[in-house]
Amino acid sequence: MQTEIAPPRVRDENPKIKLDAREVNFYYGDFQALHDVSLAVQDCKITALIGPSGCGKTTFLRIFNRMHDLVPGARANGEVLLDGHNVLAPDTDVIQLRRQVGMLFQRANPFPKSIYDNVAYGPRMLGWSKPRVDEIVEASLRDTGLWDEVKDRLRRSALNLSGGQQQRLCLARALAVKPDVILMDEPASALDPIATLRIEELMQQLKKRYTIVIVTHNMQQASRVSDFTAFMLMNQQRAGELIEFGPTDDIFNRPKDNRTEDYITGRFG
């Protein structure tokens, strides 16, 4: 019997870039928080942003869906291309952008509504039909591993769920409007180890369909879940800058910059 030999894996020399930040500077009033940050995020990959507190990781993350617009006096310049369109352009439809680029925050923030109403909120705002909303609610809860846990209590308050369940519910709420990108700002920092592992497992499943960018202070988490890692640091002008970016294995095992190695090995930060 002849054994079928699988063809060798061919490295993709032209990966699709989903998000492309080009020389991004960011200011809170007169304070510059980011300095000329350039970073290309590949489609359907997980990119981790690491670095010490205050280096601009979360600020950079929130630029991708213009969350900084909600902060008085905050402004960004440069380019952030989403599928080739500059999201920083004045004519950007920010509501549509935030549908395309969903966000999961550090702490779960479910609405004080039922489990069903939390997930249905976005689809209802988009005017989708009741049958379609029902379908999307179930699909989103299945995607986050919650369906079997909550299917018999969909009309009960989401606030009665555990912390880990609430975070997965918020993820389901983000998925319900069919985004292209999911931003995660330390999504497991307030969770216990079991709930953290569940979030990490979900990330691996979801990257088959979504581009994920995560901010994390947990070096082990970054090395476990991400395909690419960006190391950021505050420079002498007190602005955050990108020190090194590349495949996660290279960043953690073969860093090119001594500052990256010092941070990864715990010498500072």
Side-chain angles (χ1 to χ4, degrees), residues 83-268:
D83 290 331
H85 174 74
N86 182 17
V87 306
L88 298 181
D91 63 347
T92 298
D93 183 338
V94 178
I95 294 176
Q96 174 61 22
L97 172 63
R98 291 174 187 158
R99 178 189 169 187
Q100 290 178 268
V101 184
M103 188 154 189
L104 192 65
F105 295 92
Q106 184 174 2
R107 292 189 177 275
N109 59 341
F111 300 147
K113 300 175 180 288
S114 71
I115 295 169
Y116 179 95
D117 287 340
N118 264 268
V119 185
Y121 182 83
R124 283 173 173 164
M125 293 291 289
L126 294 170
W128 295 353
S129 67
K130 177 66 164 60
R132 187 181 181 191
V133 171
D134 287 344
E135 181 181 318
I136 288 295
V137 168
E138 178 174 346
S140 300
L141 289 172
R142 286 189 182 279
D143 281 345
T144 54
L146 268 176
W147 177 253
D148 289 337
E149 298 173 28
V150 304
K151 62 183 179 182
D152 297 324
R153 46 181 174 143
L154 292 177
R155 301 298 174 180
R156 296 183 186 177
S157 174
L159 302 180
N160 292 331
L161 297 174
S162 69
Q165 288 176 322
Q166 287 187 14
Q167 190 68 305
R168 284 188 283 146
L169 178 68
C170 293
L171 179 57
R173 188 175 65 198
L175 297 180
V177 294
K178 302 298 182 183
D180 296 319
V181 179
I182 306 170
L183 309 177
M184 299 185 174
D185 186 8
E186 297 190 67
S189 64
L191 303 180
D192 61 58
I194 294 176
T196 295
L197 179 61
R198 191 72 187 97
I199 292 291
E200 292 181 2
E201 290 172 343
L202 284 172
M203 291 172 63
Q204 295 301 319
Q205 297 168 20
L206 292 172
K207 78 171 185 178
K208 298 172 184 176
R209 290 178 287 150
Y210 303 96
T211 301
I212 299 174
V213 185
I214 178 175
V215 165
T216 179
H217 278 100
N218 187 322
M219 295 299 96
Q220 289 75 26
Q221 182 175 77
S223 65
R224 284 193 302 265
V225 305
S226 67
D227 301 290
F228 295 90
T229 296
F231 170 56
M232 299 180 67
L233 195 61
M234 190 74 76
N235 65 26
Q236 292 181 349
Q237 286 73 42
R238 306 305 298 163
E241 64 179 354
L242 180 65
I243 301 301
E244 189 168 352
F245 173 64
T248 294
D249 183 59
D250 289 347
I251 295 296
F252 278 85
N253 296 305
R254 294 172 294 277
K256 297 177 181 178
D257 193 292
N258 290 336
R259 292 169 293 179
T260 307
E261 183 176 5
D262 287 346
Y263 183 75
I264 293 295
T265 56
R267 293 195 182 104
F268 76 91

Side-chain angles (χ1 to χ4, degrees), residues 4-78:
E4 184 177 347
I5 301 176
R9 292 185 63 184
V10 178
R11 182 177 178 180
D12 188 355
E13 298 294 344
N14 297 292
K16 179 181 179 182
I17 302 301
K18 191 68 176 179
L19 287 164
D20 192 3
R22 300 178 177 180
E23 297 184 347
V24 173
N25 294 278
F26 187 86
Y27 302 84
Y28 291 106
D30 295 330
F31 175 74
Q32 184 171 4
L34 295 174
H35 178 75
D36 286 344
V37 177
S38 297
L39 175 67
V41 176
Q42 287 191 25
D43 189 31
C44 291
K45 300 291 184 182
I46 300 175
T47 298
L49 306 179
I50 64 172
S53 296
C55 70
K57 303 183 299 299
T58 293
T59 295
F60 184 53
L61 185 77
R62 294 184 177 210
I63 290 174
F64 288 135
N65 67 350
R66 296 271 295 266
M67 288 293 291
H68 66 274
D69 285 5
L70 305 175
V71 180
R75 68 189 191 280
N77 60 45

